Amino acid sequence: MALIPSIFGGRRSNVFFDPFSQDLWDSTFESGLIPFSSNSSLRETSAFAAARIDWKETPEAHVFTADLPGLKKDEVKVEVEEDRVLQISGERNKEQEEKTDKWHRLERSTGKFQRRFRLPENAKMEQIKATMENGVLKVTVPKEPENKPEVKSIDISG
């Protein structure tokens, strides 16, 4: 479905197709080049930094859904900034290592993530709700009812 090739370490964005999306990246990600090294903490963080979030619009609301497996609700923040910007952020910490541990694979991502979305004018900012269940965050932003122009019938004389 992505129209942008995944040549920058799997990082794809819909910012060209969605004017409301504002992905924020650490300056180390700006070049899009992520070093490929199994020992690199940057590589460990990169997958989590690019947390995927779905945004759908229903007739009643804008709904954001993020898969955040292993995170608890107190490890995730949902905030609203000025100019109708919804910010979803959080952090997954690295597992504590013991001196006797011998790792064979380290594939689960760790680190911080932050995603920002500019909400449209019809968003009811004061009624935003967030729930988290089984590692899935759902943020619901109710919408103002659509104002349909009033049509007044004019009698034709003659």
Side-chain angles (χ1 to χ4, degrees):
M1 182 167 137
L3 298 176
I4 300 172
S6 177
I7 59 176
F8 296 118
R11 179 179 145 204
R12 284 183 256 155
S13 176
N14 62 352
V15 71
F16 299 111
F17 306 105
D18 184 357
F20 301 114
S21 178
Q22 293 182 331
D23 292 343
L24 292 183
W25 300 95
D26 188 292
S27 60
T28 53
F29 294 105
E30 284 181 12
S31 67
L33 302 175
I34 300 172
F36 191 82
S37 164
S38 61
N39 295 333
S40 171
S41 64
L42 179 60
R43 184 174 182 277
E44 291 171 14
T45 305
S46 67
F48 198 55
R52 305 279 188 207
I53 298 178
D54 295 339
W55 176 3
K56 77 175 178 181
E57 182 176 355
T58 68
E60 298 81 29
H62 295 275
V63 181
F64 297 84
T65 306
D67 290 336
L68 304 172
L71 289 182
K72 298 177 185 93
K73 68 180 184 178
D74 58 331
E75 296 172 318
V76 177
K77 276 201 242 178
V78 178
E79 302 170 316
V80 179
E81 298 177 356
E82 294 179 28
D83 295 331
R84 300 177 331 277
V85 175
L86 174 69
Q87 179 173 294
I88 300 171
S89 60
E91 181 174 8
R92 178 179 295 136
N93 295 318
K94 198 170 187 177
E95 192 172 312
Q96 190 66 27
E97 286 188 46
E98 298 292 326
K99 293 277 187 196
T100 59
D101 291 347
K102 178 180 177 184
W103 289 90
H104 292 277
R105 279 224 179 276
L106 186 59
E107 294 182 349
R108 294 178 19 208
S109 54
T110 60
K112 295 180 182 183
F113 73 94
Q114 179 181 46
R115 296 291 305 274
R116 297 175 69 189
F117 301 91
R118 183 173 307 282
L119 298 171
E121 294 286 336
N122 66 352
K124 291 182 178 180
M125 303 302 291
E126 60 283 337
Q127 295 180 12
I128 296 174
K129 291 186 175 32
T131 61
M132 190 152 172
E133 187 174 331
N134 296 326
V136 178
L137 173 69
K138 186 180 232 179
V139 180
T140 304
V141 183
K143 294 175 15 180
E144 296 285 345
E146 188 176 317
N147 292 333
K148 295 183 180 180
E150 187 177 316
V151 177
K152 183 180 176 182
S153 191
I154 308 294
D155 290 333
I156 300 173
S157 61

